[in-house]
Amino acid sequence: MEGLYINHILFAVVALVVVPVLFSTFAKKPSLVPTPLQNLFEMYIEFVDNMIKENMGDKGRKYFPLVAGIGLFVFFGNLMGMIPGLESYTANINTTLALALLVFVIYNVEGFRKHGISYLKHFMGPIPVAAPIFFIIEIISHISRPITLALRLFANMTGGELITIVLIMLVPLLVPLPIMVVHLIAVFLQTYVFMILTTVYIAGAITEEAH
C-alpha cells in the first residue's frame, strides 16, 4: 500500500512537470496554421473561459489559471489509470481531498476578501429570525463540499480502474472495450464536474448576493 502511495505521488509530480512544459512549448508561440495540438489547447482555453464567464462574468477571468490548472491536473490523473503500467493519482483519496480542500479554502478566502465580515451573511439565510438555524445548516453544507468533491472523484476513478483491471485479467482483450469506453467517458465527466463545481463555489462566494 505504501508503494502504491509513492507511485501516486511520483505520477502526480510527473504531471505537474510535464503538463506545464507541454503548454509552454506548444502554446507559447501559436502558429498561424494551427497544429492539431494547438487546436486542442485553444479549444480547452476557450471552454474554460466560457465556463468561467457564464458563472462569474468577466470578473472571473482572474480565476482562469486556477480552474484551468485543476482541470488539467485532474484530467491527466484520471487518464493515467487507463494506460497500462501507470496509475491514476486521482484514485488516491489523499490527492482528491487535498484538491478539494484547496478549492474550499480558496473560495472562502475570496468570499471574505470580497465582502469582508459581511460574507458571513451568506450563511444566515433570507429570514433574520431563522438565521441561527440557517447558519448551522449552511456551515454543515459547506463543510460537506470538500468531502463530497473528494469522494466523488476518488470513487469513480478507483472503481473504473478496478473494473478495467479485473476484466482484462479474466476475459479476452476485446471484451473489456465497452467498459474502457465508459471509463474514458468518466475521465472527461469527472474532470468537468470538478471544474464546474470549483467555478460555482467561487462564483457563489464572490457574488454580490452574498451581502
Side-chain angles (χ1 to χ4, degrees), residues 75-110:
F75 173 74
F76 281 100
N78 294 349
L79 193 62
M80 280 185 180
M82 298 191 65
I83 302 174
L86 301 183
E87 295 168 2
S88 173
Y89 50 79
T90 48
N92 186 324
I93 189 62
N94 296 301
T95 303
T96 59
L97 185 57
L99 280 176
L101 288 174
L102 173 68
V103 173
F104 177 79
V105 170
I106 287 176
Y107 86 73
N108 280 297
V109 168
E110 286 299 293

Side-chain angles (χ1 to χ4, degrees), residues 91-199:
N92 186 324
I93 189 62
N94 296 301
T95 303
T96 59
L97 185 57
L99 280 176
L101 288 174
L102 173 68
V103 173
F104 177 79
V105 170
I106 287 176
Y107 86 73
N108 280 297
V109 168
E110 286 299 293
F112 279 108
R113 189 191 64 80
K114 175 72 174 179
H115 305 293
I117 196 66
S118 296
Y119 176 61
L120 292 176
K121 293 180 180 179
H122 182 69
F123 299 84
M124 296 181 179
I127 306 173
V129 177
I133 298 175
F134 274 107
F135 185 79
I136 294 174
I137 294 174
E138 286 293 327
I139 289 295
I140 294 174
S141 173
H142 280 257
I143 290 176
S144 70
R145 285 181 176 182
I147 298 173
T148 56
L149 198 59
L151 289 177
R152 183 187 297 109
L153 180 57
F154 163 72
N156 278 279
M157 291 304 102
T158 301
E161 276 194 5
L162 290 176
I163 292 174
T164 302
I165 291 172
V166 169
L167 287 176
I168 289 177
M169 291 175 61
L170 295 179
V171 296
L173 180 61
L174 292 180
V175 176
L177 283 180
I179 298 298
M180 294 181 71
V181 171
V182 173
H183 190 181
L184 182 60
I185 293 173
V187 166
F188 284 93
L189 180 60
Q190 292 306 313
T191 301
Y192 172 75
V193 168
F194 209 101
M195 292 173 67
I196 190 63
L197 288 179
T198 297
T199 304

Side-chain angles (χ1 to χ4, degrees), residues 10 18 22 32 39 41-42 45 49 51 81 86 98 137 157 160 166-167 203 210:
L10 176 61
V18 171
L22 284 175
L32 291 177
N39 279 327
F41 286 153
E42 292 177 354
I45 290 171
D49 187 58
M51 181 172 63
L86 301 183
I137 294 174
M157 291 304 102
V166 169
L167 287 176

